[in-house]
Amino acid sequence: MSAIRIAPSLLAADFARLGEEVRAIEAAGADWLHLDIMDGHFVPNISFGPGLVKALRKHSAMPFDVHLMIAPADPYLAAFAEAGADLISLHPEAGPHLHRSLQTIRALGKKAGVVLNPATPIECLAHVLDLTDLILVMSVNPGFGGQSFLASQLPKIAALRRMITESGRDIALQVDGGVTLKTAPDCIAAGADVLVAGTAVFGAPDYAQAITGLRGGA
Ligand code: DX5
Ligand code: ZN
């Protein structure tokens, strides 16, 4: 198993000081920056778009992990690629052709991720693993930071870890929602290797301590 990577979610940062916040988490040891894109339609909240991603790009060398909670997503894939995303993830429910969307992301030269809502079964991934670089398990219903972790998703993480191992492919397994110092160990034990954390990082007094703690203390 590869090392645990921590991807702080910008949604919990101080929106009046975003450049500064991104530089601070990078200096604190964050591995990726998780950028939550919400459209007020696919999820009941609105966050920000490609213009902000582009503006932040020059403040950081971290991989930009863009989580699209928008429908349709296809018309915006190129814009996020051009804005500086390294990885673009979308939900199967965002459009009728997941395979085509993943092909489009790969053709843009970016890594492609599939996000599973709490009720979405893992079987929808079975025939697209060859186009998938990352699987994201939502451990809350998407739309808001600061929600409670759904422990019902732990067996799903474990099942996905088995699916990835059996496939022999290099696919990251990410968890997003309610990841804290208390819930992170369960996610890691179930097989996750990338943890998204908003409140647990940006709500902490010491970002470096929070990131180290989430990673398991190492
Ligand atoms: C929720 C977002 C998450 C959110 C996580 O829809 O996808 O990335 O920012 O926030 P916390 O870690 O506070 O649950
Ligand atoms: Zn997210």
Side-chain angles (χ1 to χ4, degrees), residues 8-14 21-22 24-25 33 197-205 207 210:
S9 165
L10 194 69
L11 199 63
D14 180 348
E21 291 275 65
V22 168
I25 53 146
L33 180 67
T199 312
V201 172
F202 287 105
Y207 294 173

Side-chain angles (χ1 to χ4, degrees), residues 29-87:
D31 298 283
W32 298 357
L33 180 67
H34 185 81
L35 296 139
D36 288 301
I37 313 299
M38 303 177 177
D39 66 355
H41 164 74
F42 184 72
V43 291
N45 193 9
I46 299 175
S47 59
F48 47 81
L52 185 76
V53 176
K54 186 176 180 187
L56 289 173
R57 185 65 282 185
K58 56 183 171 294
H59 290 269
S60 174
M62 284 183 288
F64 276 17
D65 163 30
V66 172
H67 173 191
L68 296 181
M69 287 162 272
I70 63 175
D74 289 353
Y76 302 96
L77 297 176
F80 284 101
E82 283 158 22
D86 295 282
L87 188 147

Side-chain angles (χ1 to χ4, degrees), residues 80-97:
F80 284 101
E82 283 158 22
D86 295 282
L87 188 147
I88 300 174
S89 301
L90 45 70
H91 292 246
E93 296 87 354
H97 303 292

Side-chain angles (χ1 to χ4, degrees), residues 129-130 132 135 160-172:
L129 287 180
D130 57 325
T132 301
I135 300 167
L160 285 164
R161 171 51 64 196
R162 288 193 292 276
M163 185 190 274
I164 292 168
T165 302
E166 280 164 21
S167 77
R169 296 183 183 278
D170 181 18
I171 299 173

